[in-house]
């Protein structure tokens, strides 16, 4: 089982998304200028569906 979080975070940074703050537990809060939303990103993402859901919240197309 692979971890999608490192690649997901690279994609978010490339799209102009920014790390806002550490969240509760094992999540970080990010902001997307595309969707103008804040959303949580888990430190470890094992499911491609979860990774794609984060991209959707950021206003980006599916990639996994």
């Amino acid at each position: 089982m692979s971890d999608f979080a490192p690649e997901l975070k690279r994609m978010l940074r490339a799209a102009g998304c920014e790390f806002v703050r550490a969240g509760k537990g094992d999540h970080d809060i990010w902001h997307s200028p595309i969707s103008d939303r804040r959303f949580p990103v888990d430190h470890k993402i094992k499911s491609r569906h979860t990774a794609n859901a984060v991209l959707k919240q950021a206003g980006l197309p599916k990639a996994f």
Side-chain angles (χ1 to χ4, degrees), residues 41-63:
V41 178
D42 205 320
H43 289 177
K44 286 194 171 93
I45 299 174
K46 298 294 183 189
S47 163
R48 67 182 181 91
H49 300 291
T50 304
N52 282 325
V54 172
L55 290 174
K56 184 176 182 178
Q57 290 180 41
L60 298 169
K62 288 182 183 178

Side-chain angles (χ1 to χ4, degrees), residues 18-47:
E18 296 177 333
F19 171 83
V20 177
R21 63 179 172 85
K24 292 186 175 187
D26 58 351
H27 288 78
D28 291 331
I29 306 300
W30 286 65
H31 175 263
S32 170
I34 300 164
S35 64
D36 198 32
R37 289 177 62 185
R38 286 185 176 194
F39 51 92
V41 178
D42 205 320
H43 289 177
K44 286 194 171 93
I45 299 174
K46 298 294 183 189
S47 163

Side-chain angles (χ1 to χ4, degrees), residues 3-16:
D3 183 11
F4 293 100
E7 179 63 24
L8 176 66
K9 289 177 183 178
R10 274 194 290 277
M11 293 172 70
L12 291 173
R13 281 191 199 95

